[in-house]
């Protein structure tokens, strides 16, 4: 993985598929980050705190959380604890052999989902540990013929199981309540729905009937960034979808709220680590028209 620490940590997937089992005492994520793919995070450590956009969850060992490419997120652990976890990250194209016939299998990562974090039973935990270990074993031998196919099939098995669990009556973690939680949630949803418009701190203060200082302080406390920074990252995250559909850089800039192409290119490269054109070439986009 490649890390770029600025106002928000960005983690870009160097491969279409990454899986790992780690245990250490040095992990500390002081800032939220985002991926250009999906993540399935399985903690084996008590006192794990998940932040997914403005939502926060307290989870113990045996909990699993889902992060999409349209969310900033952070995992917090007491620094004195041994932090053990399994995680896997993948781009949707890695399992396109499955999604071409079963596109709904990725709906559990949708921005409209109602569930983010699930507490597994002992038997479910054992199943996920087995599946992760099998994935890691297969991934370690990816140079062997047909092992990418085995990875895709094993990931498909995990996704089917997750769909069953997250659609069922299993124990879901409820978001932690915090000061100004309703305000932050409304601002986040407003930015996500109106990112292409001109949104300023003054306009937010006027819209939500609260002072600018309260917005800045509360937003930074919860989100780890200002509303303006969150707007920028939302625009960049959304721009990747338009680029993947073959829109030109100029068209994408206009669609996400930039008045000029150069400003968009600069921000995209600053955050994504490459230009919009390089990103399009990397993912093999066919241009419209």
């Amino acid at each position: 993985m490649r890390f770029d620490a600025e106002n928000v940590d960005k983690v870009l997937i160097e491969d279409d598929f990454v899986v790992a089992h780690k245990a250490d005492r040095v992990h500390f994520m002081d800032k939220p980050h985002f991926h250009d793919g999906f993540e399935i995070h399985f903690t084996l450590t008590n006192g794990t705190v998940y932040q997914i956009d403005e939502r926060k969850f307290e989870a113990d060992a045996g909990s699993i959380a889902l992060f999409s490419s349209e969310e900033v997120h952070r995992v917090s652990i007491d620094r004195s604890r041994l932090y053990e976890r399994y995680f896997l990250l993948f781009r949707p194209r890695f399992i396109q052999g499955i999604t071409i016939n079963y596109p709904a299998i990725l709906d559990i990562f949708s921005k409209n989902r109602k569930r983010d974090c699930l507490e597994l039973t002992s038997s479910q935990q054992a199943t996920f540990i087995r599946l992760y270990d099998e994935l890691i074993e297969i991934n370690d031998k990816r140079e062997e013929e047909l092992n990418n196919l085995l990875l895709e099939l094993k990931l498909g098995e995990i996704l089917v199981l997750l769909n069953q669990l997250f659609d069922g009556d299993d124990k879901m973690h409820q978001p932690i309540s915090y000061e100004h939680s309703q305000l932050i949630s409304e601002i986040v949803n407003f930015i996500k729905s109106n990112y292409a418009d001109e949104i300023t701190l003054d306009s937010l203060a006027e819209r939500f009937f609260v002072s600018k200082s309260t917005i800045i302080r509360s937003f930074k406390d919860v989100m780890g960034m200002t509303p303006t920074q969150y707007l920028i990252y939302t625009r960049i995250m959304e721009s990747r979808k338009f680029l993947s559909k073959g829109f030109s850089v100029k068209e994408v800039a206009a669609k996400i709220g930039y008045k000029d192409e150069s400003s968009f290119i600069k921000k995209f490269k600053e955050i994504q680590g490459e230009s919009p054109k390089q990103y399009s070439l990397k993912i093999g986009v066919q241009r419209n028209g």
Side-chain angles (χ1 to χ4, degrees):
M1 296 180 189
R2 180 174 68 224
F3 292 84
D4 178 9
E6 280 191 18
N7 294 317
V8 176
D9 291 332
K10 282 77 67 176
V11 182
L12 310 181
I13 305 174
E14 294 183 351
D15 198 353
D16 282 350
F17 179 83
V18 176
V19 63
H21 174 208
K22 292 187 176 182
D24 55 53
R25 296 183 184 274
V26 298
H27 176 90
F28 185 73
M29 192 180 299
D30 60 342
K31 300 174 184 177
H33 66 264
F34 65 88
H35 301 303
D36 56 343
F38 299 143
E39 180 177 359
I40 302 169
H41 190 284
F42 177 34
T43 184
L44 297 176
T45 304
N46 288 334
T48 299
V49 177
Y50 290 117
Q51 176 193 335
I52 307 173
D53 277 341
E54 82 286 5
R55 306 180 301 282
K56 292 187 177 183
F57 304 86
E58 290 181 343
D60 283 332
S63 295
I64 202 158
L66 306 179
F67 309 138
S68 83
S69 59
E70 301 175 5
E71 298 164 323
V72 295
H73 60 274
R74 169 170 46 184
V75 185
S76 303
I77 302 291
D78 188 316
R79 293 192 188 205
S80 66
R81 295 187 178 184
L82 178 68
Y83 175 33
E84 184 177 6
R85 71 279 191 195
Y86 285 91
F87 61 87
L88 67 87
L89 304 94
F90 68 97
R91 294 190 181 97
R93 67 183 182 183
F94 183 75
I95 57 166
Q96 59 187 0
I98 295 174
T99 56
I100 192 171
N101 292 313
Y102 303 99
I105 198 170
L106 296 179
D107 285 354
I108 53 174
F109 297 99
S110 166
K111 68 173 69 175
N112 296 318
R113 71 182 189 273
K114 297 180 179 179
R115 296 165 175 171
D116 302 281
C117 187
L118 172 69
E119 181 179 328
L120 302 177
T121 65
S122 296
S123 61
Q124 290 167 348
Q125 291 176 43
T127 297
F128 271 97
I129 289 173
R130 174 181 60 81
L131 289 171
Y132 265 103
D133 285 341
E134 290 173 354
L135 270 176
I136 292 170
E137 182 178 0
I138 297 170
N139 193 54
D140 287 341
K141 302 176 181 178
R142 286 184 72 174
E143 70 279 1
E144 297 182 11
E145 190 176 4
L146 299 181
N147 268 36
N148 271 344
L149 174 58
L150 289 175
L151 277 178
E152 183 178 357
L153 293 173
K154 187 62 62 175
L155 176 55
E157 184 178 348
I158 288 178
L159 290 172
V160 168
L161 178 55
L162 286 172
N163 271 270
Q164 293 170 340
L165 293 176
F166 276 78
D167 285 341
D169 297 324
D170 297 88
K171 188 174 180 180
M172 297 291 168
H173 288 291
Q174 297 300 315
I176 301 170
S177 179
Y178 53 84
E179 185 180 11
H180 299 303
S181 58
Q182 184 63 32
L183 171 65
I184 302 305
S185 179
E186 289 177 359
I187 292 175
V188 165
N189 289 330
F190 178 77
I191 291 174
K192 280 179 170 286
S193 299
N194 301 276
Y195 61 85
D197 299 334
E198 182 178 358
I199 299 176
T200 65
L201 195 56
D202 285 326
S203 66
L204 289 175
E206 182 178 353
R207 180 179 183 85
F208 294 101
F209 305 102
V210 66
S211 70
K212 291 187 290 185
S213 60
T214 297
I215 291 178
I216 293 175
R217 183 183 68 254
S218 301
F219 209 89
K220 289 191 73 172
D221 285 346
V222 175
M223 300 293 292
M225 69 190 92
T226 67
T228 300
Q229 290 164 340
Y230 183 71
L231 171 62
I232 292 170
Y233 288 109
T234 298
R235 285 175 168 175
I236 299 306
M237 286 188 282
E238 291 293 328
S239 74
R240 295 179 305 190
K241 293 192 295 185
F242 292 119
L243 289 170
S244 69
K245 293 178 181 178
F247 289 99
S248 70
V249 174
K250 184 176 181 179
E251 289 172 327
V252 175
K255 283 181 174 294
I256 65 171
Y258 282 95
K259 295 180 180 179
D260 63 272
E261 185 179 347
S262 61
S263 295
F264 165 55
I265 293 173
K266 181 180 178 180
K267 283 298 180 185
F268 190 96
K269 191 170 184 178
E270 175 186 320
I271 293 170
Q272 194 69 28
E274 57 197 349
S275 70
K277 185 176 181 180
Q278 289 171 326
Y279 179 81
S280 296
L281 290 173
K282 182 181 70 176
I283 62 176
V285 170
Q286 297 294 319
R287 288 292 175 202
N288 287 331

